[in-house]
Amino acid sequence: MFNLTRRVFGIGLLAATVGLSFGAAAQDLKQLNIGYQKTGLPVIARQQQVIEKALADKGVTVKWVEFTAGPPLVEALNVGAIDVGWTGDAPPIFGQSAGANIVYAAALPSNGDGEAIFVKPASPVQSIADLKGKRIGIGKGTSAHNLLVAALEKAGVPFDQITPVYLSPADAAAAFASDQIDAWAVWDPFFAIAETRYQPRVLARSSDVLKVNTYFLANKDFAKAHPEIITTTIAALGEAAKWADQNRDKVAEALHEVTGVPLDAQTIAANRSKFGIFPITDEIVASQQATADRFYKLGLIPKAVRISDAVWAAPGN
């Protein structure tokens, strides 16, 4: 179960690192703390410094805090160690079920082709159905967790007939390399890195089995206290998305520059990425609700959630 009291990397240390004081309701905001991962639109925004430029006239600086996965990012949002951040579809569901103080501020495209379940070329596993009885590396509460659940459901394999091995991407990479797990479900750039190393057999991609989104999230108190910062940041992310679509040949280098992930892997990731940011519609809420209901039915989250309760209402809406 997603545990909001568990300090994945020491929230106290993280707070000191980003140089903040907890509590988002300060009258004069001096610094926006953004959580990001090793790929995606926020990385482009950081490299282009579009958010910094958009907030400069407000006297607000930007601090970027990197996370290896969505669940610890959601935990950091919950306690106010960061103000906003980007994750896949599953982390906010696990967070909301555990009472996280978060809101959905905007939607972004799915991980799509850049998230998959795969095995090594020599594996006897040829399909999702063959995963029955196998050990599968997965990040608990991540978007890849949802991919695994949905892919098994589509193949008619009950979730309790596989053995999920809950690991961080780094630990899962080591387990996959040493054959301690039979398959791995993960997103880019970790999937792309695995492709460069193993040429794995892909059993399913998110684009094959899911119609979901990724999300730009905010600490609920911060969003209430600083709605104009949220709207300005979303608009800046939109500018970064336009740049990425117009400069496809430069996206991989931008991702590599910020994250240090090898350029060949980031090139694979960039070539299959979709960029954009848009309002959260009723259709998006319904899709996210279906995912939450699936997790609750399987006992993967402690209580049912209503996604609409956590959707931020932008000023004027």
Side-chain angles (χ1 to χ4, degrees):
M1 183 176 73
F2 185 88
N3 184 352
L4 291 175
T5 64
R6 177 172 169 264
R7 296 294 172 258
V8 179
F9 5 44
I11 291 298
L13 178 59
L14 176 62
T17 301
V18 300
L20 57 90
S21 59
F22 288 108
Q27 290 297 314
D28 298 314
L29 183 69
K30 298 299 183 185
Q31 179 173 286
L32 175 67
N33 302 294
I34 305 176
Y36 73 104
Q37 299 182 54
K38 286 186 176 294
T39 193
L41 184 58
V43 178
I44 299 297
R46 180 181 180 182
Q47 194 270 344
Q48 292 290 301
Q49 295 194 320
V50 290
I51 299 175
E52 287 86 344
K53 294 171 186 174
L55 294 177
D57 65 350
K58 300 179 186 293
V60 177
T61 61
V62 176
K63 181 71 177 184
W64 294 87
V65 185
E66 184 179 300
F67 293 82
T68 58
L73 188 154
V74 168
E75 181 177 355
L77 275 173
N78 173 60
V79 300
I82 57 174
D83 306 312
V84 295
W86 172 72
T87 76
D89 56 328
I93 291 172
F94 277 72
Q96 189 180 357
S97 184
N101 190 37
I102 59 172
V103 290
Y104 294 84
L108 293 85
S110 161
N111 290 328
D113 290 342
E115 183 169 67
I117 305 167
F118 51 90
V119 297
K120 287 183 177 177
S123 170
V125 174
Q126 299 292 322
S127 69
I128 293 293
D130 294 337
L131 290 176
K132 192 179 296 185
K134 302 299 184 183
R135 292 168 56 84
I136 305 166
I138 192 76
K140 187 167 188 177
T142 65
S143 57
H145 197 174
N146 187 31
L147 167 60
L148 177 61
V149 167
L152 290 170
E153 185 179 271
K154 184 178 181 180
V157 179
F159 192 76
D160 62 6
Q161 290 190 15
I162 61 101
T163 301
V165 182
Y166 295 118
L167 298 167
S168 70
D171 290 339
F176 189 74
S178 58
D179 297 319
Q180 296 177 54
I181 53 177
D182 301 296
W184 186 11
V186 75
W187 55 92
D188 279 335
F190 307 104
F191 171 33
I193 292 170
E195 286 187 294
T196 65
R197 291 179 179 173
Y198 305 106
Q199 294 76 53
R201 179 180 305 119
V202 175
L203 306 179
R205 298 175 189 260
S206 285
S207 54
D208 299 330
V209 296
L210 290 169
K211 185 180 180 182
V212 295
N213 293 92
T214 60
Y215 293 97
F216 187 63
L217 309 172
N219 172 277
K220 185 176 182 179
D221 295 335
F222 181 89
K224 183 177 180 180
H226 303 289
E228 75 289 349
I229 298 297
I230 302 292
T231 55
T232 298
T233 301
I234 290 172
L237 286 167
E239 290 303 310
K242 290 178 185 177
W243 181 89
D245 274 336
Q246 294 168 2
N247 296 274
R248 279 280 170 176
D249 58 325
K250 300 177 183 176
V251 168
E253 181 61 42
L255 295 171
H256 166 68
E257 178 184 321
V258 173
T259 66
V261 171
L263 184 58
D264 57 349
Q266 286 291 28
T267 299
I268 293 171
N271 287 345
R272 59 191 174 203
S273 293
K274 294 181 179 179
F275 299 102
I277 189 164
F278 32 84
I280 296 173
T281 63
D282 290 343
E283 181 182 8
I284 290 172
V285 170
S287 175
Q288 186 74 340
Q289 186 65 56
T291 299
D293 293 345
R294 180 189 296 121
F295 281 134
Y296 182 66
K297 181 180 178 181
L298 290 171
L300 296 174
I301 56 176
K303 65 178 182 180
V305 300
R306 189 165 66 177
I307 299 300
S308 58
D309 289 345
V311 176
W312 178 63
N317 288 355

